[in-house]
Amino acid sequence: MITTDICIIGAGPVGLFAVFEAGLLKMRCHLIDALPQVGGQLSEIYPQKPIYDIPGFPAINAQDLVNNLLDQINPFHPTFTLGERVEKLERQEDGSYLVTSNENTEIHCQVVVIAAGLGSFEPRKPAVERLEDFEGKGVAYMVKNPELFRDKRIVLAGGGDSALDWTLFLSEIAKEVTLIHRGETFRGAPDSAEKVFAKAEQGQINLILNANVSALNGNGHLKEIAVVQKDKSVTNLDVDYFIPLFGLTPKLGPIADWNLAIDKSAIEVNTKDFMTNVERIYAIGDINTYPGKLKLILCGFHEAALMAQSAFKYVFPEQKLSFKYTTVNGIHAL
């Protein structure tokens, strides 16, 4: 059995930063994640995607952010169980928890922190004829290795941040980039949308609005897509890769059976310390919901800091949280 102070379910960026905040208060952390590596969606889905809203970094690649977080928490010696999914939570008589994975790994902890991002997830697939026929043969739902698209003809579809960011990024390396969006305005960051419109005006990308991809064609590998315009006319485009970016469909999995208050696949928390309706169980990052919630990494970092302050009383019930400057493993902290 693994014994720790805090068991963090989810080893994405918010879960990793929670280790840092807990470490400053001398609390030990063990992280468990169903993915075979740390980093969550950043490492699994878009490791090379640039992120623009991390304080102090005008832009940072997703995997670089994960690597920096790992360096940041290294002094606190966290432990990991990867490639296993939490199946069961059992409250003990003293209020602590026994966490059990699908591989029967047992973790005893005083506090449970759910930082599972969107839970288990899968990409939302648009209704496009023969889409699944070309999965892995020209259709990709995420960009893991941008070099795969170098000097290729790429068509992206979507109107959110991922579609905008990858359009901008791939425009620098691909032979031709086309972004197709069913509307005239984008849901993503206004600054990114402005850059996309500017590149379109300069002829650096093709931007097709009020349109949808309706069908795919090819012989063994994707060669052509059909685009339906607002007036129902159809245009065929030669293409090497089609990347539909319509977000992810969240699935909470076993979390849904833990008697937590859940609203639309997200766990309800209070904003004082981000505890759930069950004592000693917290939820931080994209997995939680509360009035005014923003699904941003930096918001998850804030939630992790307040969670750690609250969790301290369960880990060290005989101690009072002090706010004097000290040094923990060479790091100056409160």
Side-chain angles (χ1 to χ4, degrees):
M1 181 183 294
I2 299 167
T3 301
T4 189
D5 296 325
I6 300 177
C7 178
I8 301 174
I9 302 172
V14 173
L16 295 176
F17 189 71
V19 174
F20 177 78
E21 290 295 331
L24 294 179
L25 300 175
K26 299 185 179 180
M27 293 185 289
R28 300 167 299 153
C29 293
H30 183 85
L31 299 92
I32 181 168
D33 200 300
L35 296 175
Q37 74 282 320
V38 301
Q41 296 178 50
L42 299 193
S43 297
E44 178 69 9
I45 300 178
Y46 40 74
Q48 299 303 316
K49 180 179 182 293
I51 300 174
Y52 300 106
D53 56 2
I54 303 299
F57 293 93
I60 183 170
N61 280 2
Q63 190 59 51
D64 289 340
L65 176 60
V66 172
N67 293 340
N68 288 353
L69 287 166
L70 285 170
D71 289 341
Q72 188 177 26
I73 67 176
N74 184 59
F76 303 113
H77 309 293
T79 52
F80 297 86
T81 295
L82 301 175
E84 298 183 25
R85 183 181 64 192
V86 172
E87 290 287 345
K88 186 166 55 175
L89 289 180
E90 296 176 283
R91 188 179 179 91
Q92 307 300 293
E93 290 185 2
D94 63 355
S96 62
Y97 277 91
L98 183 64
V99 180
T100 305
S101 79
N102 62 316
E103 297 292 335
N104 294 317
T105 298
E106 293 183 330
I107 305 160
H108 181 255
C109 59
Q110 298 300 317
V111 170
V112 175
V113 176
I114 304 172
L118 296 175
S120 58
F121 49 85
E122 59 185 30
R124 289 192 179 97
K125 299 180 181 181
V128 176
E129 183 181 335
R130 298 193 68 192
L131 181 72
E132 295 184 353
D133 291 349
F134 294 101
E135 290 179 347
K137 303 172 185 177
V139 171
Y141 299 107
M142 58 192 73
V143 180
K144 287 189 175 182
N145 178 16
E147 284 300 312
L148 180 67
F149 306 104
R150 183 174 291 277
D151 299 324
K152 303 295 184 181
R153 297 166 299 180
I154 312 299
V155 172
L156 302 97
D161 285 312
S162 289
L164 293 171
D165 292 345
W166 279 122
T167 296
L168 295 171
F169 186 90
L170 293 175
S171 69
E172 302 295 327
I173 64 172
K175 177 180 180 181
E176 182 180 64
V177 171
T178 301
L179 175 60
I180 298 174
H181 180 41
R182 63 188 177 185
E184 294 182 348
T185 59
F186 292 95
R187 301 184 308 277
D191 181 66
S192 298
E194 289 178 6
K195 291 178 180 177
V196 165
F197 281 118
K199 278 184 172 286
E201 291 175 359
Q202 295 165 8
Q204 297 177 10
I205 65 169
N206 302 314
L207 180 60
I208 303 176
L209 301 177
N210 296 312
N212 288 289
V213 176
S214 61
L216 309 181
N217 291 294
N219 184 14
H221 193 280
L222 181 63
K223 295 295 183 183
E224 184 182 70
I225 67 169
V227 180
V228 179
Q229 308 282 347
K230 189 175 183 179
D231 61 4
K232 306 301 181 181
S233 63
V234 178
T235 303
N236 294 317
L237 301 178
D238 293 332
V239 62
D240 296 307
Y241 287 95
F242 173 52
I243 310 174
L245 297 170
F246 294 98
L248 301 169
T249 300
K251 294 184 177 180
L252 288 177
I255 295 175
D257 301 322
W258 295 347
N259 297 318
L260 302 173
I262 295 175
D263 179 28
K264 298 178 182 178
S265 297
I267 302 171
E268 294 181 346
V269 296
N270 68 64
T271 52
K272 176 183 177 182
D273 56 11
F274 302 98
M275 189 184 293
T276 68
N277 61 305
V278 179
E279 189 178 14
R280 298 197 189 208
I281 300 181
Y282 299 81
I284 59 177
D286 286 355
I287 196 74
N288 75 14
T289 185
Y290 52 84
K293 169 70 178 183
L294 291 176
K295 292 184 180 293
L296 299 175
I297 292 175
L298 65 91
C299 292
F301 289 170
H302 158 76
E303 295 162 11
L306 293 186
M307 173 280 301
Q309 300 287 317
S310 174
F312 184 89
K313 63 179 176 288
Y314 297 115
V315 177
F316 302 114
E318 303 301 323
Q319 297 184 31
K320 185 176 181 180
L321 189 58
S322 172
F323 289 93
K324 295 180 181 179
Y325 276 102
T326 184
T327 300
V328 180
N329 295 327
I331 297 176
H332 294 293
L334 285 174

